[in-house]
Amino acid sequence: MRGVREHLGWGGAAALAPLALWWGWSVVAVVRSGWGLSPALPYLLCPLVLLAGVCLGGVVARHADSVAVRVALVIAELILVIGVVMVTEPGKGPTGYTNANAALAVQFVAICGLALLSTARERRRGVLVALALGVVAVALNRSTAGTAVALPVFTVVALAVWLRPARRWWTAMSVAVGALAVGFAGWVILRAAESTPFPEWAVRAFDPVRERLWQDAAQLWSERPLTGSGPGSFAERTVLSLDPDTMAAHSSILQVGAETGWVGVTLLDAMVLAAMLWAARGSTPHAVIAVAAVAALLVHSMADHLLEFGSVVLAVGIVIGWAGASGRQRHDGNSE
């Protein structure tokens, strides 16, 4: 235990606390609800997959300027593009859901940005090809929300690689802006879901299915606002659950709120902040990119169901772990 604490530092060890509390509260929610273990698997597995991604990101960071990493990035981006081009609707590959594909592509754009920071200029061609393929993958999936969050992530990547900001206040500012963006997006979705009729801007932006899903989730949440009705309760409540694609609320904050209450939402917020702070342990350019990627995924998830996809959670974990490890690289004198 002492070795783990020395490796992580007190700040790193504290960042793990929200994940442990989330896992514990999910177990309590399962026992309380009586809906069984299966509906709770996303709640229980998400932190474990995220941790696996963080560990993998730390490993990749130590080999960031290797041929293997550049080849892996190109192959991964090709899979994202081919999955959209070759697979017919519905269920575009590789995740089977176009918005999740776009979210995954956004995370790989961020990973490519981290790779550009760690790769010598004369060896960047492969990473640039992978980055271009990631942008193409976002566009091919035709996800409005995915495209909306991809633009700021791509902009942050370009600026971080070009400017190489060194002052730590850039990291602090990125964490503050990212946290505010996630909080504001959640507040907007909550207001829309609780409004009757649906706000005019939301009618133009979202389809009637989402309107019904969000209103069902908001109604369920209002019945047990503090602790929620338990994992699986939303699928039992909404009449749209006959379709497997609409068994989820298509909103992370509404899904978590309806099923685990404000306790679960608070722990989700704490995990997001912990993820940003973990990434902020790294060098400033890496941290800025990673925080933007985390914020992009959570903002997108406020209007869609994305956190149930293990590949998406694993990818954002890689981003966080790679960025966090870049601080140790700099300290050891092995950074770019």
Side-chain angles (χ1 to χ4, degrees):
M1 180 64 69
R2 181 180 179 183
V4 173
R5 188 173 66 246
E6 290 176 351
H7 176 70
L8 296 177
W10 286 109
L16 295 176
L19 276 76
L21 291 172
W22 168 273
W23 209 88
W25 178 245
S26 298
V27 172
V28 171
V30 170
V31 174
R32 288 179 59 254
S33 68
W35 294 108
L37 182 61
S38 180
L41 286 179
Y43 292 91
L44 298 173
L45 294 179
C46 181
L48 303 180
V49 174
L50 182 66
L51 281 176
V54 171
C55 294
L56 180 57
V59 172
V60 173
R62 294 198 295 270
H63 307 280
D65 196 12
S66 67
V67 175
V69 169
R70 295 194 291 275
V71 171
L73 284 175
V74 173
I75 291 174
E77 299 287 18
L78 281 173
I79 291 173
L80 286 170
V81 172
I82 293 172
V84 180
V85 174
M86 300 298 292
V87 181
T88 58
E89 294 282 5
K92 288 285 190 179
T95 67
Y97 183 49
T98 54
N99 289 327
N101 292 338
L104 184 58
V106 170
Q107 294 306 308
F108 270 100
V109 167
I111 291 173
C112 288
L114 298 177
L116 285 173
L117 291 172
S118 307
T119 305
R121 188 179 300 274
E122 63 273 13
R123 295 192 292 273
R124 287 181 178 175
R125 183 175 300 175
V127 182
L128 290 171
V129 169
L131 178 62
L133 288 171
V135 173
V136 170
V138 174
L140 288 176
N141 278 284
R142 294 183 294 179
S143 168
T144 302
T147 302
V149 299
L151 290 173
V153 170
F154 181 81
T155 301
V156 169
V157 166
L159 291 175
V161 173
W162 178 38
L163 297 176
R164 299 294 179 106
R167 297 184 181 276
R168 296 303 290 175
W169 67 265
W170 281 101
T171 299
M173 184 176 68
S174 67
V175 171
V177 172
L180 286 173
V182 173
F184 180 73
W187 177 78
V188 168
I189 297 303
L190 277 178
R191 289 295 302 271
E194 294 171 349
S195 298
T196 304
F198 214 41
E200 189 62 33
W201 67 265
V203 172
R204 294 193 299 269
F206 303 108
D207 55 78
V209 173
R210 268 183 178 73
E211 177 181 355
R212 179 60 187 271
L213 289 171
W214 291 358
Q215 289 175 345
D216 288 348
Q219 176 60 37
L220 182 61
W221 190 356
S222 69
E223 295 175 6
R224 292 186 178 179
L226 182 61
T227 60
S229 298
S233 57
F234 176 76
E236 293 291 329
R237 168 61 66 90
T238 181
V239 296
L240 299 178
S241 63
L242 295 175
D243 185 343
D245 187 50
T246 51
M247 292 180 68
H250 285 249
S251 168
S252 59
I253 189 170
L254 290 171
Q255 184 85 38
V256 171
E259 297 190 338
T260 65
W262 278 110
V263 174
V265 170
T266 300
L267 291 175
L268 176 63
D269 291 341
M271 281 200 299
V272 174
L273 183 58
M276 291 181 177
L277 293 177
W278 186 284
R281 290 152 46 100
S283 71
T284 300
H286 290 79
V288 168
I289 290 175
V291 169
V294 173
L297 175 59
L298 268 295
V299 169
H300 188 176
S301 77
M302 294 298 172
D304 217 324
H305 68 114
L306 302 174
L307 304 184
E308 302 96 322
F309 291 88
S311 57
V312 176
V313 176
L314 183 69
V316 75
I318 293 172
V319 172
I320 296 164
W322 187 335
S326 67
R328 292 196 300 274
Q329 287 180 310
R330 182 182 57 182
H331 179 74
D332 294 338
N334 296 323
S335 63
E336 67 275 11

